[in-house]
Amino acid sequence: MNNIYICEKPSQAKDLARILNLRTKKEGYYTNSQENIAITWAMGHLLELAPPDQYNDIYKKWNIDLLPIFPKKWKYLVKKGCNNQLKIIISLIKSSSLVTIATDYDREGEAIARSIIEKAKYKGEIKRLCLTALDDASIIKALNNIKDGKDTVNLYYAAQSRAKADWLVGMNLTRLFTCLTKFTNQTSAVSIGRVMTPTINLVVERDNKIENFVSKPYYELYAIVNNQGQTYKAKWQPNGDLLDEDGYIIDKNIVNQVVTKLSNHNGIVTKFASKIVNQNPPLPFNLNSLQQFCNKRYGYSAKKTLEIAQTLYEKHKAITYPRTDCQYLVETMYVERHDVMNALVQIDPSIVPTINAADLSLYSKCFNTNKVTAHHAIIPTANSNVSITAMSVEEKNVYELIRRAYITQFYPSAKYNKTQIEIKILNEIFTASSTFLVFPGFRVLYGEDCSLNNYKEESTSIQAPTNTFQIPQSNIGDILSIDGYDIENKKTQPPQHFTEATLLGAMEKISRYVNDPILKNKLKETDGLGTPATRAEIINNSINKDYLCRNKNYILATPKSKAIMPTLPNSIKDAGTTALWEQQLENILLGEINSNDFIANIESYINEILANYKSNQIQLDVKTSESMPTKRKYSIGRTKNNISSRKKTKEKNLSIWFYIKWDWFECIS
């Protein structure tokens, strides 16, 4: 063989073989009549890191004294049912003078191919085919722009470092805390995951805040302003000394005294500003924003949305690569806009009016090569052979969202009249503002849907729906009559339970949940907890392991997770620790740090945890949902669980005892 292409899945190999005109199919690969080129495929990760007992039989028994487990030479096992395909690929590699990696162009795709190449002990030339979509035009474009393997090898190092870090944390700390924890009346593993555990802790902390929340009354004061017969409300801005520690007026007497003082007095305009502001179209989707939007709009889980997107990518060839963290497009893709729009019309003629209203001379801010990472944003392909009728209802829904987000880039900005006024009554300040839509622009594609692809506007703060009221024009120094005052009695509200959409958002923007200012600043530049491609599986695994559960559209903590999380060291459940590790993986990808140094840091961290916890014992009186004898619905909101804990410290040994009482329930999906 002169050249062998390694794809990630059989369907991708079939598409590539069609373009390269390889018409002969043999067992495990496609080739031509000369058999000088072949396209083969993996089936995901054919090689997986071996469990501890594959290194030594002594690890079959979970024993704290045998920790830590740090492999000196990592072992791999062949995934079940894949032995024959692996042998075929290795045989092809050994007979080739060139290997071209054609798996998904990301960390895991690179690892799938290179782990097999390493096992084959191949030392020859390696190239990289960077596929971003599987329609014919995109494959041909990628074939004309093949990279040298040296340019992408860091993807492999980052993927291997991630897998080894997950193995080290999971295998060592799961065994440690399972051995330390004694469950009442049952045996259960305390599963620790580098990303899973801090994700679970986010939900536990949120649910605990809700359960322990005590609402308090507070008051807001509004002046009813009359400007030439048109009235509106202006809100009182009290002196900071009158507010409690949370920024509320909690003493109604204060408000009543202000009303008495200001009665029968006019107001004077001290500030007035009215201007037209632009709201740019929302960026195209990345995977995270697509999952969040589909959860809000259709109630799809993150896993379901990913599965639908993968089908649109692989089967229908309707969209570009979905497992991306980027919402931008390379600038050269601007010239492809006519091809994409023409294809969309051929695919679905009903969209003609929408596309005719687009202005293809507009240059959206989404075209920014400097902001594109390994993959650009998810957009529709220019494949006119896509069949809408072959799609399921769910696939149509997701495709329409992606299609609309692309078309939106060629619609003008929405324009708002934003007005702000400050009024002084005696020595008290009142303010009001209005945002009035004067030109809908791109918003005609969204109607009253204000979520706008999880809209994040960089240049303006306008995120309001259309208002029917606008503050009248005023000048500084104008005297305005006050028709009266309105005291609004309010109560503080607890935070909302996480939905899958908001939990994905929290995982992505994890810096919001970190208190340390230095760490918070560092985390603003990271991808957060996990990656767009792994977050759905992390949430799903947390549910399968009985740490989280679904109740309607909410994600809730179970009694098991609420009992276990307080016993774990902060560094394991701290989102900041894991996010910084993710940042280091990104630095490995960029070639800025060495993967061996990263693994050494992980091992040092595990040794520190072991040194601090080997002598501890944790006993939990907790039952997982599978063992609950009676099934009841778990109602969302504040619960009245009776939770008590007592800590006993004797010399260096710390015993933590939890006794938890709750009504049996089952979380309803």
Side-chain angles (χ1 to χ4, degrees):
M1 287 291 176
N2 295 336
N3 186 6
I4 172 179
Y5 291 83
I6 304 175
C7 293
E8 191 157 326
K9 298 176 182 177
S11 61
Q12 294 168 325
K14 184 178 180 181
D15 292 329
L16 184 57
R18 185 183 67 254
I19 298 301
L20 292 176
N21 199 29
L22 304 186
R23 300 182 181 278
T24 303
K25 185 177 181 182
K26 296 199 171 184
E27 185 182 4
Y29 66 99
Y30 294 91
T31 188
N32 56 11
S33 57
Q34 296 81 26
E35 293 201 22
N36 58 359
I37 183 172
I39 299 174
T40 186
W41 58 86
M43 288 172 279
H45 285 275
L46 293 186
L47 295 169
E48 299 173 334
L49 288 172
D53 58 30
Q54 293 295 312
Y55 292 88
N56 195 313
D57 284 344
I58 62 173
Y59 295 130
K60 289 182 178 179
K61 183 177 180 180
W62 289 25
N63 189 329
I64 289 179
D65 294 332
L66 299 177
L67 301 177
I69 307 170
F70 293 161
K72 291 182 179 179
K73 185 177 181 181
W74 292 86
K75 292 185 177 182
Y76 292 84
L77 296 180
V78 182
K79 189 166 69 174
K80 187 176 179 180
C82 296
N83 262 301
N84 190 53
Q85 184 64 17
L86 180 63
K87 289 177 182 177
I88 291 170
I89 299 173
I90 290 175
S91 175
L92 290 169
I93 291 173
K94 288 182 175 180
S95 67
S96 299
S97 57
L98 170 63
V99 174
T100 302
I101 299 171
T103 50
D104 285 348
Y105 182 37
D106 58 15
R107 286 191 331 206
E108 296 309 309
E110 196 81 10
I112 287 169
R114 289 202 183 250
S115 60
I116 300 172
I117 292 169
E118 277 197 1
K119 187 170 180 63
K121 298 180 180 178
Y122 175 78
K123 302 298 182 183
E125 186 180 9
I126 296 175
K127 296 286 187 180
R128 203 354 160 157
L129 180 66
C130 305
L131 292 169
T132 59
L134 295 177
D135 61 291
D136 291 3
S138 297
I139 294 174
I140 292 170
K141 182 179 177 181
L143 286 167
N144 291 328
N145 293 278
I146 292 178
K147 291 186 177 183
D148 192 294
K150 295 176 183 177
D151 296 338
T152 63
V153 69
N154 283 342
L155 283 169
Y156 176 51
Y157 297 148
Q160 285 295 86
S161 299
R162 190 276 310 160
K164 291 174 182 178
D166 287 350
W167 192 99
L168 290 167
V169 171
M171 294 300 178
N172 283 284
L173 300 188
T174 293
R175 289 181 178 227
L176 170 67
F177 287 100
T178 298
C179 291
L180 291 176
T181 305
K182 295 183 178 179
F183 285 77
T184 303
N185 300 327
Q186 71 173 53
T187 301
S188 182
V190 179
S191 299
I192 303 296
R194 181 181 64 88
V195 180
M196 183 182 73
T197 300
T199 300
I200 294 166
N201 195 57
L202 280 177
V203 181
V204 169
E205 289 186 342
R206 172 65 62 86
D207 287 2
N208 284 342
K209 281 184 180 179
I210 295 170
E211 290 176 5
N212 298 323
F213 183 81
V214 178
S215 180
K216 63 181 178 182
Y218 69 97
Y219 306 92
E220 291 180 346
L221 174 63
Y222 293 85
I224 302 172
V225 182
N226 190 324
N227 187 343
Q228 299 178 2
Q230 187 169 354
T231 60
Y232 57 90
K233 287 184 176 182
K235 186 179 179 181
W236 177 45
Q237 305 299 318
N239 186 296
D241 295 339
L242 301 177
L243 304 175
D244 73 349
E245 65 276 7
D246 297 318
Y248 296 108
I249 296 287
I250 59 175
D251 186 350
K252 194 172 185 178
N253 290 327
I254 293 175
V255 181
N256 288 330
Q257 289 169 11
V258 172
V259 171
T260 300
K261 179 179 72 171
L262 301 183
S263 293
N264 302 317
H265 287 83
N266 290 326
I268 182 171
V269 178
T270 51
K271 292 180 182 178
F272 184 86
S274 183
K275 61 180 179 179
I276 299 296
V277 294
N278 293 328
Q279 182 187 35
N280 292 327
L283 294 169
F285 287 107
N286 61 14
L287 178 58
N288 209 67
S289 62
L290 181 64
Q291 288 171 319
Q292 291 180 66
F293 194 87
C294 288
N295 184 253
K296 293 175 184 176
R297 170 66 69 83
Y298 300 115
Y300 299 162
S301 69
K303 183 180 180 183
K304 185 178 185 66
T305 298
L306 177 55
E307 290 171 350
I308 294 169
Q310 280 292 131
T311 301
L312 290 171
Y313 168 65
E314 294 177 9
K315 177 183 175 182
H316 296 289
K317 316 293 190 295
I319 65 170
T320 58
Y321 183 73
R323 295 171 180 257
T324 175
D325 63 353
C326 180
Q327 290 187 269
Y328 292 87
L329 303 172
V330 293
E331 290 154 22
T332 54
M333 296 178 71
Y334 180 71
V335 300
E336 301 170 4
R337 65 197 186 283
H338 292 285
D339 294 336
V340 175
M341 293 296 194
N342 289 335
L344 293 178
V345 169
Q346 292 182 56
I347 293 166
D348 182 9
S350 70
I351 204 171
V352 168
T354 301
I355 291 180
N356 284 345
D359 182 356
L360 298 189
S361 69
L362 294 176
Y363 196 87
S364 166
K365 67 175 184 177
C366 80
F367 293 101
N368 188 333
T369 303
N370 292 331
K371 292 191 175 184
V372 175
T373 52
H375 287 281
H376 56 68
I378 307 170
I379 63 170
T381 63
N383 177 18
S384 60
N385 294 320
V386 171
S387 173
I388 284 277
T389 57
M391 295 181 187
S392 68
V393 172
E394 293 166 339
E395 289 164 358
K396 287 178 185 176
N397 288 340
V398 176
Y399 180 64
E400 195 282 328
L401 294 178
I402 295 167
R403 177 181 69 179
R404 180 179 65 172
Y406 180 80
I407 297 171
T408 300
Q409 304 310 309
F410 303 97
Y411 270 65
S413 300
K415 296 183 184 297
Y416 289 84
N417 182 295
K418 185 174 183 180
T419 302
Q420 295 174 305
I421 189 169
E422 180 183 279
I423 301 166
K424 193 172 185 179
I425 309 173
L426 292 182
N427 60 339
E428 301 295 340
I429 299 297
F430 290 76
T431 62
S433 64
S434 66
T435 304
F436 184 78
L437 183 66
V438 294
F439 176 70
F442 75 88
R443 294 195 71 105
V444 298
L445 298 182
Y446 287 85
E448 294 304 312
D449 183 358
C450 299
S451 52
L452 295 177
N453 301 9
N454 296 303
Y455 186 76
K456 303 181 186 79
E457 177 56 72
E458 297 173 358
S459 58
T460 79
S461 59
I462 299 298
Q463 296 187 34
T466 304
N467 293 324
T468 57
F469 166 75
Q470 185 176 3
I471 292 174
Q473 176 68 35
S474 298
N475 297 306
I476 295 174
D478 284 354
I479 304 298
L480 303 178
S481 61
I482 307 300
D483 287 355
Y485 294 90
D486 185 10
I487 300 174
E488 293 189 3
N489 301 329
K490 296 189 173 183
K491 285 188 175 182
T492 56
Q493 299 296 318
Q496 292 289 313
H497 287 284
F498 278 116
T499 63
E500 196 147 356
T502 57
L503 183 55
L504 286 168
M507 294 172 75
E508 180 185 29
K509 301 296 182 182
I510 198 61
S511 62
R512 299 172 185 171
Y513 299 85
V514 175
N515 294 322
D516 183 276
I518 297 176
L519 185 57
K520 190 180 189 76
N521 189 55
K522 286 183 179 179
L523 294 179
K524 286 181 180 178
E525 302 302 319
T526 72
D527 288 331
L529 284 177
T531 66
T534 61
R535 287 172 189 141
E537 196 60 33
I538 290 162
I539 294 172
N540 209 51
N541 285 342
S542 301
I543 292 171
N544 291 339
K545 294 179 183 295
D546 197 44
Y547 288 111
L548 301 178
C549 63
R550 287 190 176 94
N551 186 310
K552 298 180 180 178
N553 200 36
Y554 291 100
I555 300 292
L556 307 175
T558 62
K560 179 181 177 181
S561 63
K562 288 185 177 182
I564 290 172
M565 286 299 123
T567 71
L568 300 179
N570 287 332
S571 60
I572 289 177
K573 57 189 178 184
D574 179 23
T577 302
T578 297
L580 282 179
W581 284 345
E582 195 65 42
Q583 188 179 61
Q584 291 176 20
L585 291 173
E586 186 67 20
N587 290 337
I588 292 172
L589 192 153
L590 296 173
E592 295 175 359
I593 65 173
N594 184 281
S595 58
N596 291 331
D597 292 339
F598 172 73
I599 294 301
N601 288 335
I602 297 291
E603 291 178 348
S604 177
Y605 165 79
I606 291 169
N607 277 328
E608 185 178 340
I609 296 295
L610 291 172
N612 291 333
Y613 275 80
K614 268 189 173 182
S615 60
N616 298 341
Q617 185 182 35
I618 305 166
Q619 181 163 330
L620 302 178
D621 182 9
V622 61
K623 298 178 177 66
T624 59
S625 59
E626 288 86 347
S627 64
M628 296 175 183
T630 305
K631 297 180 180 179
R632 296 181 185 175
K633 288 186 177 181
Y634 180 42
S635 59
I636 296 173
R638 293 183 60 198
T639 62
K640 296 182 179 180
N641 298 344
N642 181 17
I643 303 177
S644 64
S645 65
R646 56 192 176 93
K647 299 180 180 179
K648 295 181 178 180
T649 305
K650 293 183 179 180
E651 297 177 354
K652 295 183 180 179
N653 293 329
L654 175 66
S655 296
I656 306 175
W657 303 82
F658 285 83
Y659 180 63
I660 302 180
K661 298 178 181 177
W662 63 86
D663 289 334
W664 302 113
F665 67 86
E666 178 182 55
C667 293
I668 306 301
S669 297

